Amino acid sequence: MRRLCSVVILIAFAISANAGDPDILDDFLVPPGVDINSITRQYFTFTGLRDMQRVNYTGKTESIVRRVTKKIFPALEGLGVSVSRTFYPPLSITPPHYHPRSSELLVALDGPLEISFIDTRNKLFVQTLQAGDLFVIPRGLIHFVNYTRGDCGGGTMGIFGSANPGTVTLGSTLFESGIKADLLAKAFKTDEETIYKLIKANQQ
């Protein structure tokens, strides 16, 4: 486990060095109105992932994700890196989604789990990961996870080359954003009744 953590740290530094966020001209940035001389080690520390080991996943069929971006960890501003911690209940999924501003390096903390992405040629790439495996998802490509263990939950760590990679989930984006049902019906070559069912299902 110590070796895996070391690998994750090295990868995070590598991604940060090649990040897509704008370069900064200081060592680090502080929020407006904050005196830089008042900054202590606590500013660079985030402890909000500690309780992920005690997540209640009873009855859940989708993964539970906690994204650590500059919005909740201001020290990341300008550093070009962020992470997400995902917990998977048994036989759960992460729905299809993509990150518009960053690639993602997924570290499997448990396994097996099935990770997939689709490229712009409409080619599907599927890989089964075991604990300790890494998998890279190029920026802006749709991807999803199928956690195949039924006896216990598991987890992953996602490392991003942006302090704010963004997440667009296809189901909620298409069926919760107010797009007219008749337009969606035409786009998906189906009827409006089916679209209304999908809208209702995504609102639950």
Side-chain angles (χ1 to χ4, degrees):
M1 190 65 183
R2 182 180 299 174
R3 187 174 181 181
L4 175 60
C5 290
S6 299
V7 170
V8 170
I9 292 170
L10 288 173
I11 291 168
F13 276 116
I15 289 179
S16 178
N18 296 280
D21 290 0
D23 289 335
I24 61 175
L25 300 179
D26 296 288
D27 295 332
F28 55 88
L29 300 178
V30 298
V34 174
D35 182 1
I36 195 169
N37 294 312
S38 69
I39 296 297
T40 69
R41 62 187 180 183
Q42 298 303 119
Y43 178 70
F44 303 99
T45 305
F46 182 81
T47 61
L49 297 180
R50 293 179 180 178
D51 61 349
M52 287 293 285
Q53 299 297 328
R54 300 188 297 274
V55 169
N56 180 7
Y57 57 79
T58 303
K60 294 186 180 296
T61 58
E62 291 189 7
S63 59
I64 301 162
V65 184
R66 186 161 300 170
R67 298 179 179 90
V68 184
T69 69
K70 66 178 184 179
K71 292 180 180 180
I72 62 172
F73 189 15
L76 297 179
E77 178 73 60
L79 300 184
V81 66
S82 61
V83 301
S84 67
R85 177 72 165 90
T86 303
F87 184 84
Y88 301 93
L91 303 176
S92 62
I93 66 165
T94 296
H97 65 285
Y98 66 91
H99 306 289
R101 292 183 288 276
S102 177
S103 299
E104 177 180 3
L105 189 62
L106 190 77
V107 182
L109 304 179
D110 303 282
L113 62 86
E114 190 178 86
I115 173 71
S116 308
F117 76 82
I118 306 166
D119 71 7
T120 55
R121 300 169 298 167
N122 223 27
K123 183 176 180 180
L124 175 65
F125 296 84
V126 182
Q127 181 63 282
T128 298
L129 304 181
Q130 304 293 339
D133 291 347
L134 285 73
F135 189 83
V136 65
I137 301 120
R139 181 175 64 179
L141 296 186
I142 295 170
H143 55 284
F144 48 96
V145 174
N146 179 24
Y147 186 72
T148 55
R149 289 192 65 168
D151 59 325
C152 65
T156 59
M157 183 74 76
I159 304 172
F160 301 91
S162 170
N164 187 25
T167 300
V168 179
T169 302
L170 298 191
S172 58
T173 298
L174 290 169
F175 301 111
E176 292 185 52
S177 59
I179 301 175
K180 292 181 178 180
D182 63 322
L183 296 179
L184 290 172
K186 291 176 182 178
F188 287 98
K189 297 179 174 60
T190 187
D191 55 81
E192 291 186 35
E193 182 180 356
T194 300
I195 295 298
Y196 282 121
K197 289 180 179 179
L198 290 169
I199 291 173
K200 184 177 180 179
N202 278 274
Q203 291 174 343
Q204 294 176 351

mmCIF file of all heavy atoms in Angstrom, residues 94-106 115-126 135-145 160 165-170:
data_model
loop_
_atom_site.group_PDB
_atom_site.id
_atom_site.type_symbol
_atom_site.label_atom_id
_atom_site.label_comp_id
_atom_site.label_asym_id
_atom_site.label_seq_id
_atom_site.Cartn_x
_atom_site.Cartn_y
_atom_site.Cartn_z
ATOM 1 N N THR A 94 -20.355 3.737 -12.275
ATOM 2 C CA THR A 94 -20.258 5.180 -12.450
ATOM 3 C C THR A 94 -20.828 5.485 -13.819
ATOM 4 O O THR A 94 -20.318 4.979 -14.825
ATOM 5 C CB THR A 94 -18.798 5.663 -12.382
ATOM 6 O OG1 THR A 94 -18.275 5.409 -11.082
ATOM 7 C CG2 THR A 94 -18.715 7.161 -12.660
ATOM 8 N N PRO A 95 -21.908 6.255 -13.917
ATOM 9 C CA PRO A 95 -22.566 6.490 -15.208
ATOM 10 C C PRO A 95 -21.634 7.162 -16.219
ATOM 11 O O PRO A 95 -20.662 7.821 -15.834
ATOM 12 C CB PRO A 95 -23.738 7.409 -14.844
ATOM 13 C CG PRO A 95 -23.952 7.215 -13.379
ATOM 14 C CD PRO A 95 -22.596 6.945 -12.807
ATOM 15 N N PRO A 96 -21.929 7.032 -17.514
ATOM 16 C CA PRO A 96 -21.115 7.679 -18.543
ATOM 17 C C PRO A 96 -21.004 9.184 -18.312
ATOM 18 O O PRO A 96 -22.004 9.864 -18.098
ATOM 19 C CB PRO A 96 -21.876 7.358 -19.840
ATOM 20 C CG PRO A 96 -22.587 6.069 -19.543
ATOM 21 C CD PRO A 96 -22.995 6.185 -18.106
ATOM 22 N N HIS A 97 -19.775 9.682 -18.399
ATOM 23 C CA HIS A 97 -19.507 11.101 -18.185
ATOM 24 C C HIS A 97 -18.172 11.445 -18.844
ATOM 25 O O HIS A 97 -17.457 10.564 -19.311
ATOM 26 C CB HIS A 97 -19.469 11.436 -16.693
ATOM 27 C CG HIS A 97 -18.338 10.774 -15.967
ATOM 28 N ND1 HIS A 97 -18.344 9.430 -15.638
ATOM 29 C CD2 HIS A 97 -17.151 11.261 -15.516
ATOM 30 C CE1 HIS A 97 -17.223 9.110 -15.011
ATOM 31 N NE2 HIS A 97 -16.482 10.209 -14.933
ATOM 32 N N TYR A 98 -17.848 12.748 -18.847
ATOM 33 C CA TYR A 98 -16.533 13.147 -19.335
ATOM 34 C C TYR A 98 -16.075 14.407 -18.615
ATOM 35 O O TYR A 98 -16.861 15.103 -17.971
ATOM 36 C CB TYR A 98 -16.538 13.358 -20.863
ATOM 37 C CG TYR A 98 -17.372 14.514 -21.358
ATOM 38 C CD1 TYR A 98 -16.819 15.789 -21.523
ATOM 39 C CD2 TYR A 98 -18.718 14.350 -21.688
ATOM 40 C CE1 TYR A 98 -17.584 16.852 -21.992
ATOM 41 C CE2 TYR A 98 -19.491 15.402 -22.161
ATOM 42 C CZ TYR A 98 -18.919 16.651 -22.311
ATOM 43 O OH TYR A 98 -19.675 17.701 -22.767
ATOM 44 N N HIS A 99 -14.770 14.672 -18.724
ATOM 45 C CA HIS A 99 -14.174 15.846 -18.094
ATOM 46 C C HIS A 99 -13.643 16.766 -19.197
ATOM 47 O O HIS A 99 -12.681 16.415 -19.890
ATOM 48 C CB HIS A 99 -13.036 15.418 -17.156
ATOM 49 C CG HIS A 99 -13.466 14.400 -16.150
ATOM 50 N ND1 HIS A 99 -14.306 14.699 -15.097
ATOM 51 C CD2 HIS A 99 -13.206 13.063 -16.063
ATOM 52 C CE1 HIS A 99 -14.526 13.596 -14.397
ATOM 53 N NE2 HIS A 99 -13.887 12.601 -14.966
ATOM 54 N N PRO A 100 -14.260 17.933 -19.388
ATOM 55 C CA PRO A 100 -13.908 18.788 -20.530
ATOM 56 C C PRO A 100 -12.539 19.447 -20.445
ATOM 57 O O PRO A 100 -12.001 19.871 -21.465
ATOM 58 C CB PRO A 100 -15.023 19.833 -20.535
ATOM 59 C CG PRO A 100 -15.512 19.882 -19.120
ATOM 60 C CD PRO A 100 -15.385 18.477 -18.614
ATOM 61 N N ARG A 101 -11.961 19.547 -19.244
ATOM 62 C CA ARG A 101 -10.718 20.316 -19.106
ATOM 63 C C ARG A 101 -9.511 19.494 -18.678
ATOM 64 O O ARG A 101 -8.442 20.059 -18.410
ATOM 65 C CB ARG A 101 -10.949 21.461 -18.108
ATOM 66 C CG ARG A 101 -11.900 22.526 -18.617
ATOM 67 C CD ARG A 101 -12.048 23.679 -17.656
ATOM 68 N NE ARG A 101 -12.809 23.329 -16.469
ATOM 69 C CZ ARG A 101 -14.145 23.350 -16.394
ATOM 70 N NH1 ARG A 101 -14.851 23.692 -17.466
ATOM 71 N NH2 ARG A 101 -14.775 23.038 -15.281
ATOM 72 N N SER A 102 -9.635 18.175 -18.636
ATOM 73 C CA SER A 102 -8.480 17.400 -18.175
ATOM 74 C C SER A 102 -8.598 15.925 -18.537
ATOM 75 O O SER A 102 -9.697 15.370 -18.604
ATOM 76 C CB SER A 102 -8.336 17.515 -16.651
ATOM 77 O OG SER A 102 -7.268 16.711 -16.176
ATOM 78 N N SER A 103 -7.447 15.303 -18.746
ATOM 79 C CA SER A 103 -7.382 13.847 -18.767
ATOM 80 C C SER A 103 -7.484 13.354 -17.329
ATOM 81 O O SER A 103 -7.352 14.130 -16.380
ATOM 82 C CB SER A 103 -6.057 13.382 -19.382
ATOM 83 O OG SER A 103 -5.934 13.839 -20.714
ATOM 84 N N GLU A 104 -7.724 12.057 -17.178
ATOM 85 C CA GLU A 104 -7.821 11.476 -15.840
ATOM 86 C C GLU A 104 -6.948 10.232 -15.759
ATOM 87 O O GLU A 104 -6.963 9.382 -16.660
ATOM 88 C CB GLU A 104 -9.267 11.092 -15.507
ATOM 89 C CG GLU A 104 -9.421 10.425 -14.150
ATOM 90 C CD GLU A 104 -10.853 10.033 -13.822
ATOM 91 O OE1 GLU A 104 -11.731 10.237 -14.704
ATOM 92 O OE2 GLU A 104 -11.098 9.521 -12.713
ATOM 93 N N LEU A 105 -6.176 10.140 -14.693
ATOM 94 C CA LEU A 105 -5.424 8.930 -14.407
ATOM 95 C C LEU A 105 -6.128 8.223 -13.254
ATOM 96 O O LEU A 105 -6.179 8.736 -12.133
ATOM 97 C CB LEU A 105 -3.988 9.257 -14.029
ATOM 98 C CG LEU A 105 -3.055 8.056 -13.910
ATOM 99 C CD1 LEU A 105 -2.933 7.331 -15.246
ATOM 100 C CD2 LEU A 105 -1.684 8.488 -13.434
ATOM 101 N N LEU A 106 -6.695 7.071 -13.554
ATOM 102 C CA LEU A 106 -7.479 6.335 -12.559
ATOM 103 C C LEU A 106 -6.603 5.296 -11.877
ATOM 104 O O LEU A 106 -5.957 4.477 -12.544
ATOM 105 C CB LEU A 106 -8.660 5.647 -13.245
ATOM 106 C CG LEU A 106 -9.707 5.034 -12.308
ATOM 107 C CD1 LEU A 106 -10.590 6.139 -11.724
ATOM 108 C CD2 LEU A 106 -10.560 4.015 -13.047
ATOM 109 N N ILE A 115 -13.269 -0.635 -16.461
ATOM 110 C CA ILE A 115 -13.266 0.758 -16.885
ATOM 111 C C ILE A 115 -13.346 0.807 -18.415
ATOM 112 O O ILE A 115 -12.691 0.012 -19.092
ATOM 113 C CB ILE A 115 -12.003 1.497 -16.372
ATOM 114 C CG1 ILE A 115 -11.907 2.923 -16.946
ATOM 115 C CG2 ILE A 115 -10.738 0.721 -16.711
ATOM 116 C CD1 ILE A 115 -12.900 3.887 -16.402
ATOM 117 N N SER A 116 -14.139 1.726 -18.948
ATOM 118 C CA SER A 116 -14.323 1.825 -20.400
ATOM 119 C C SER A 116 -14.333 3.284 -20.833
ATOM 120 O O SER A 116 -14.780 4.158 -20.091
ATOM 121 C CB SER A 116 -15.656 1.184 -20.823
ATOM 122 O OG SER A 116 -15.794 -0.129 -20.327
ATOM 123 N N PHE A 117 -13.821 3.545 -22.032
ATOM 124 C CA PHE A 117 -14.017 4.852 -22.646
ATOM 125 C C PHE A 117 -14.214 4.689 -24.144
ATOM 126 O O PHE A 117 -13.857 3.664 -24.734
ATOM 127 C CB PHE A 117 -12.881 5.835 -22.319
ATOM 128 C CG PHE A 117 -11.589 5.627 -23.058
ATOM 129 C CD1 PHE A 117 -11.411 6.116 -24.350
ATOM 130 C CD2 PHE A 117 -10.524 4.963 -22.454
ATOM 131 C CE1 PHE A 117 -10.214 5.951 -25.029
ATOM 132 C CE2 PHE A 117 -9.321 4.782 -23.120
ATOM 133 C CZ PHE A 117 -9.170 5.280 -24.414
ATOM 134 N N ILE A 118 -14.808 5.713 -24.752
ATOM 135 C CA ILE A 118 -15.114 5.714 -26.180
ATOM 136 C C ILE A 118 -14.391 6.891 -26.818
ATOM 137 O O ILE A 118 -14.515 8.026 -26.344
ATOM 138 C CB ILE A 118 -16.632 5.843 -26.424
ATOM 139 C CG1 ILE A 118 -17.387 4.756 -25.665
ATOM 140 C CG2 ILE A 118 -16.955 5.784 -27.913
ATOM 141 C CD1 ILE A 118 -18.877 4.999 -25.558
ATOM 142 N N ASP A 119 -13.642 6.637 -27.908
ATOM 143 C CA ASP A 119 -12.923 7.729 -28.550
ATOM 144 C C ASP A 119 -13.766 8.373 -29.643
ATOM 145 O O ASP A 119 -14.930 7.997 -29.853
ATOM 146 C CB ASP A 119 -11.554 7.254 -29.069
ATOM 147 C CG ASP A 119 -11.659 6.317 -30.278
ATOM 148 O OD1 ASP A 119 -12.767 6.114 -30.812
ATOM 149 O OD2 ASP A 119 -10.600 5.788 -30.694
ATOM 150 N N THR A 120 -13.202 9.339 -30.342
ATOM 151 C CA THR A 120 -13.956 10.089 -31.342
ATOM 152 C C THR A 120 -14.207 9.284 -32.616
ATOM 153 O O THR A 120 -14.950 9.747 -33.494
ATOM 154 C CB THR A 120 -13.224 11.397 -31.707
ATOM 155 O OG1 THR A 120 -11.886 11.086 -32.130
ATOM 156 C CG2 THR A 120 -13.163 12.325 -30.504
ATOM 157 N N ARG A 121 -13.608 8.102 -32.722
ATOM 158 C CA ARG A 121 -13.926 7.196 -33.841
ATOM 159 C C ARG A 121 -15.058 6.251 -33.469
ATOM 160 O O ARG A 121 -15.385 5.353 -34.217
ATOM 161 C CB ARG A 121 -12.688 6.393 -34.227
ATOM 162 C CG ARG A 121 -11.490 7.220 -34.684
ATOM 163 C CD ARG A 121 -10.253 6.353 -34.774
ATOM 164 N NE ARG A 121 -9.915 5.798 -33.466
ATOM 165 C CZ ARG A 121 -9.034 4.804 -33.287
ATOM 166 N NH1 ARG A 121 -8.435 4.258 -34.324
ATOM 167 N NH2 ARG A 121 -8.784 4.364 -32.066
ATOM 168 N N ASN A 122 -15.604 6.452 -32.285
ATOM 169 C CA ASN A 122 -16.670 5.592 -31.756
ATOM 170 C C ASN A 122 -16.161 4.199 -31.410
ATOM 171 O O ASN A 122 -16.922 3.230 -31.400
ATOM 172 C CB ASN A 122 -17.851 5.490 -32.732
ATOM 173 C CG ASN A 122 -19.186 5.600 -32.000
ATOM 174 O OD1 ASN A 122 -19.269 6.217 -30.944
ATOM 175 N ND2 ASN A 122 -20.227 5.009 -32.548
ATOM 176 N N LYS A 123 -14.875 4.099 -31.098
ATOM 177 C CA LYS A 123 -14.288 2.821 -30.694
ATOM 178 C C LYS A 123 -14.330 2.701 -29.177
ATOM 179 O O LYS A 123 -13.946 3.627 -28.455
ATOM 180 C CB LYS A 123 -12.849 2.697 -31.182
ATOM 181 C CG LYS A 123 -12.215 1.350 -30.836
ATOM 182 C CD LYS A 123 -10.819 1.216 -31.423
ATOM 183 C CE LYS A 123 -10.213 -0.133 -31.068
ATOM 184 N NZ LYS A 123 -8.851 -0.291 -31.635
ATOM 185 N N LEU A 124 -14.799 1.565 -28.698
ATOM 186 C CA LEU A 124 -14.922 1.306 -27.264
ATOM 187 C C LEU A 124 -13.686 0.572 -26.757
ATOM 188 O O LEU A 124 -13.295 -0.459 -27.296
ATOM 189 C CB LEU A 124 -16.175 0.475 -26.989
ATOM 190 C CG LEU A 124 -16.409 0.013 -25.550
ATOM 191 C CD1 LEU A 124 -16.654 1.205 -24.635
ATOM 192 C CD2 LEU A 124 -17.576 -0.969 -25.488
ATOM 193 N N PHE A 125 -13.069 1.115 -25.710
ATOM 194 C CA PHE A 125 -11.935 0.480 -25.049
ATOM 195 C C PHE A 125 -12.392 0.016 -23.666
ATOM 196 O O PHE A 125 -12.888 0.825 -22.882
ATOM 197 C CB PHE A 125 -10.769 1.455 -24.901
ATOM 198 C CG PHE A 125 -10.193 1.927 -26.209
ATOM 199 C CD1 PHE A 125 -10.768 2.986 -26.893
ATOM 200 C CD2 PHE A 125 -9.073 1.303 -26.750
ATOM 201 C CE1 PHE A 125 -10.236 3.425 -28.100
ATOM 202 C CE2 PHE A 125 -8.531 1.733 -27.953
ATOM 203 C CZ PHE A 125 -9.114 2.793 -28.629
ATOM 204 N N VAL A 126 -12.237 -1.254 -23.385
ATOM 205 C CA VAL A 126 -12.675 -1.826 -22.113
ATOM 206 C C VAL A 126 -11.490 -2.536 -21.465
ATOM 207 O O VAL A 126 -10.797 -3.331 -22.121
ATOM 208 C CB VAL A 126 -13.837 -2.829 -22.307
ATOM 209 C CG1 VAL A 126 -14.309 -3.360 -20.952
ATOM 210 C CG2 VAL A 126 -14.977 -2.185 -23.069
ATOM 211 N N PHE A 135 -5.018 3.382 -15.096
ATOM 212 C CA PHE A 135 -5.623 3.474 -16.419
ATOM 213 C C PHE A 135 -5.828 4.951 -16.735
ATOM 214 O O PHE A 135 -6.322 5.707 -15.900
ATOM 215 C CB PHE A 135 -6.971 2.745 -16.443
ATOM 216 C CG PHE A 135 -7.578 2.595 -17.808
ATOM 217 C CD1 PHE A 135 -7.186 1.561 -18.647
ATOM 218 C CD2 PHE A 135 -8.541 3.483 -18.261
ATOM 219 C CE1 PHE A 135 -7.744 1.414 -19.913
ATOM 220 C CE2 PHE A 135 -9.112 3.345 -19.512
ATOM 221 C CZ PHE A 135 -8.704 2.307 -20.353
ATOM 222 N N VAL A 136 -5.446 5.378 -17.944
ATOM 223 C CA VAL A 136 -5.564 6.788 -18.301
ATOM 224 C C VAL A 136 -6.729 6.984 -19.258
ATOM 225 O O VAL A 136 -6.926 6.199 -20.196
ATOM 226 C CB VAL A 136 -4.250 7.335 -18.916
ATOM 227 C CG1 VAL A 136 -3.925 6.673 -20.239
ATOM 228 C CG2 VAL A 136 -4.313 8.852 -19.052
ATOM 229 N N ILE A 137 -7.517 8.025 -18.994
ATOM 230 C CA ILE A 137 -8.652 8.395 -19.846
ATOM 231 C C ILE A 137 -8.339 9.756 -20.467
ATOM 232 O O ILE A 137 -8.196 10.754 -19.753
ATOM 233 C CB ILE A 137 -9.961 8.479 -19.043
ATOM 234 C CG1 ILE A 137 -10.273 7.136 -18.386
ATOM 235 C CG2 ILE A 137 -11.112 8.896 -19.939
ATOM 236 C CD1 ILE A 137 -10.368 7.195 -16.898
ATOM 237 N N PRO A 138 -8.203 9.834 -21.795
ATOM 238 C CA PRO A 138 -7.891 11.114 -22.432
ATOM 239 C C PRO A 138 -8.973 12.168 -22.180
ATOM 240 O O PRO A 138 -10.142 11.853 -22.016
ATOM 241 C CB PRO A 138 -7.804 10.752 -23.924
ATOM 242 C CG PRO A 138 -7.468 9.288 -23.938
ATOM 243 C CD PRO A 138 -8.205 8.723 -22.759
ATOM 244 N N ARG A 139 -8.554 13.397 -22.180
ATOM 245 C CA ARG A 139 -9.452 14.521 -21.893
ATOM 246 C C ARG A 139 -10.638 14.562 -22.852
ATOM 247 O O ARG A 139 -10.511 14.380 -24.059
ATOM 248 C CB ARG A 139 -8.685 15.852 -22.014
ATOM 249 C CG ARG A 139 -9.537 17.077 -21.719
ATOM 250 C CD ARG A 139 -8.730 18.339 -21.719
ATOM 251 N NE ARG A 139 -8.154 18.638 -23.018
ATOM 252 C CZ ARG A 139 -7.404 19.717 -23.274
ATOM 253 N NH1 ARG A 139 -7.126 20.572 -22.307
ATOM 254 N NH2 ARG A 139 -6.925 19.917 -24.481
ATOM 255 N N GLY A 140 -11.813 14.786 -22.277
ATOM 256 C CA GLY A 140 -13.014 15.006 -23.071
ATOM 257 C C GLY A 140 -13.674 13.759 -23.620
ATOM 258 O O GLY A 140 -14.684 13.872 -24.324
ATOM 259 N N LEU A 141 -13.171 12.568 -23.302
ATOM 260 C CA LEU A 141 -13.767 11.349 -23.826
ATOM 261 C C LEU A 141 -14.720 10.730 -22.801
ATOM 262 O O LEU A 141 -14.442 10.704 -21.597
ATOM 263 C CB LEU A 141 -12.695 10.335 -24.215
ATOM 264 C CG LEU A 141 -11.757 10.753 -25.352
ATOM 265 C CD1 LEU A 141 -10.842 9.594 -25.740
ATOM 266 C CD2 LEU A 141 -12.534 11.258 -26.568
ATOM 267 N N ILE A 142 -15.841 10.223 -23.293
ATOM 268 C CA ILE A 142 -16.857 9.611 -22.430
ATOM 269 C C ILE A 142 -16.293 8.327 -21.831
ATOM 270 O O ILE A 142 -15.721 7.491 -22.536
ATOM 271 C CB ILE A 142 -18.135 9.320 -23.233
ATOM 272 C CG1 ILE A 142 -18.770 10.630 -23.711
ATOM 273 C CG2 ILE A 142 -19.138 8.514 -22.400
ATOM 274 C CD1 ILE A 142 -19.891 10.428 -24.709
ATOM 275 N N HIS A 143 -16.481 8.164 -20.522
ATOM 276 C CA HIS A 143 -16.009 6.951 -19.863
ATOM 277 C C HIS A 143 -16.952 6.576 -18.729
ATOM 278 O O HIS A 143 -17.772 7.381 -18.290
ATOM 279 C CB HIS A 143 -14.579 7.116 -19.341
ATOM 280 C CG HIS A 143 -14.384 8.289 -18.431
ATOM 281 N ND1 HIS A 143 -14.306 9.584 -18.895
ATOM 282 C CD2 HIS A 143 -14.241 8.374 -17.075
ATOM 283 C CE1 HIS A 143 -14.104 10.412 -17.876
ATOM 284 N NE2 HIS A 143 -14.080 9.694 -16.753
ATOM 285 N N PHE A 144 -16.842 5.333 -18.274
ATOM 286 C CA PHE A 144 -17.719 4.828 -17.223
ATOM 287 C C PHE A 144 -17.061 3.628 -16.570
ATOM 288 O O PHE A 144 -16.121 3.039 -17.111
ATOM 289 C CB PHE A 144 -19.099 4.461 -17.781
ATOM 290 C CG PHE A 144 -19.068 3.616 -19.024
ATOM 291 C CD1 PHE A 144 -19.186 2.236 -18.964
ATOM 292 C CD2 PHE A 144 -18.921 4.202 -20.278
ATOM 293 C CE1 PHE A 144 -19.149 1.451 -20.108
ATOM 294 C CE2 PHE A 144 -18.887 3.442 -21.436
ATOM 295 C CZ PHE A 144 -19.002 2.052 -21.354
ATOM 296 N N VAL A 145 -17.546 3.292 -15.377
ATOM 297 C CA VAL A 145 -16.963 2.195 -14.589
ATOM 298 C C VAL A 145 -18.050 1.224 -14.184
ATOM 299 O O VAL A 145 -19.151 1.622 -13.789
ATOM 300 C CB VAL A 145 -16.244 2.729 -13.326
ATOM 301 C CG1 VAL A 145 -15.778 1.579 -12.445
ATOM 302 C CG2 VAL A 145 -15.061 3.611 -13.714
ATOM 303 N N PHE A 160 -6.214 14.385 -11.790
ATOM 304 C CA PHE A 160 -6.508 15.240 -12.935
ATOM 305 C C PHE A 160 -5.424 16.294 -13.126
ATOM 306 O O PHE A 160 -4.852 16.780 -12.149
ATOM 307 C CB PHE A 160 -7.859 15.939 -12.742
ATOM 308 C CG PHE A 160 -9.010 15.003 -12.577
ATOM 309 C CD1 PHE A 160 -9.405 14.575 -11.313
ATOM 310 C CD2 PHE A 160 -9.704 14.531 -13.681
ATOM 311 C CE1 PHE A 160 -10.472 13.699 -11.161
ATOM 312 C CE2 PHE A 160 -10.771 13.656 -13.538
ATOM 313 C CZ PHE A 160 -11.154 13.243 -12.270
ATOM 314 N N PRO A 165 -11.309 20.246 -13.338
ATOM 315 C CA PRO A 165 -11.470 19.505 -14.599
ATOM 316 C C PRO A 165 -12.878 19.521 -15.158
ATOM 317 O O PRO A 165 -13.076 19.344 -16.353
ATOM 318 C CB PRO A 165 -11.035 18.089 -14.234
ATOM 319 C CG PRO A 165 -11.277 17.986 -12.763
ATOM 320 C CD PRO A 165 -10.983 19.352 -12.214
ATOM 321 N N GLY A 166 -13.881 19.748 -14.295
ATOM 322 C CA GLY A 166 -15.271 19.715 -14.734
ATOM 323 C C GLY A 166 -15.755 18.297 -14.961
ATOM 324 O O GLY A 166 -14.978 17.407 -15.308
ATOM 325 N N THR A 167 -17.039 18.077 -14.751
ATOM 326 C CA THR A 167 -17.647 16.768 -14.981
ATOM 327 C C THR A 167 -19.001 16.962 -15.645
ATOM 328 O O THR A 167 -19.848 17.695 -15.129
ATOM 329 C CB THR A 167 -17.841 15.988 -13.663
ATOM 330 O OG1 THR A 167 -16.558 15.790 -13.039
ATOM 331 C CG2 THR A 167 -18.476 14.630 -13.930
ATOM 332 N N VAL A 168 -19.192 16.331 -16.789
ATOM 333 C CA VAL A 168 -20.463 16.370 -17.507
ATOM 334 C C VAL A 168 -21.003 14.948 -17.550
ATOM 335 O O VAL A 168 -20.429 14.079 -18.212
ATOM 336 C CB VAL A 168 -20.297 16.916 -18.937
ATOM 337 C CG1 VAL A 168 -21.643 16.929 -19.658
ATOM 338 C CG2 VAL A 168 -19.685 18.302 -18.914
ATOM 339 N N THR A 169 -22.087 14.690 -16.811
ATOM 340 C CA THR A 169 -22.711 13.370 -16.791
ATOM 341 C C THR A 169 -23.825 13.339 -17.830
ATOM 342 O O THR A 169 -24.723 14.186 -17.816
ATOM 343 C CB THR A 169 -23.280 13.069 -15.394
ATOM 344 O OG1 THR A 169 -22.213 13.156 -14.435
ATOM 345 C CG2 THR A 169 -23.874 11.669 -15.344
ATOM 346 N N LEU A 170 -23.762 12.371 -18.736
ATOM 347 C CA LEU A 170 -24.643 12.400 -19.898
ATOM 348 C C LEU A 170 -26.117 12.328 -19.521
ATOM 349 O O LEU A 170 -26.936 13.074 -20.054
ATOM 350 C CB LEU A 170 -24.290 11.245 -20.838
ATOM 351 C CG LEU A 170 -22.874 11.260 -21.421
ATOM 352 C CD1 LEU A 170 -22.753 10.231 -22.533
ATOM 353 C CD2 LEU A 170 -22.502 12.632 -21.944
#
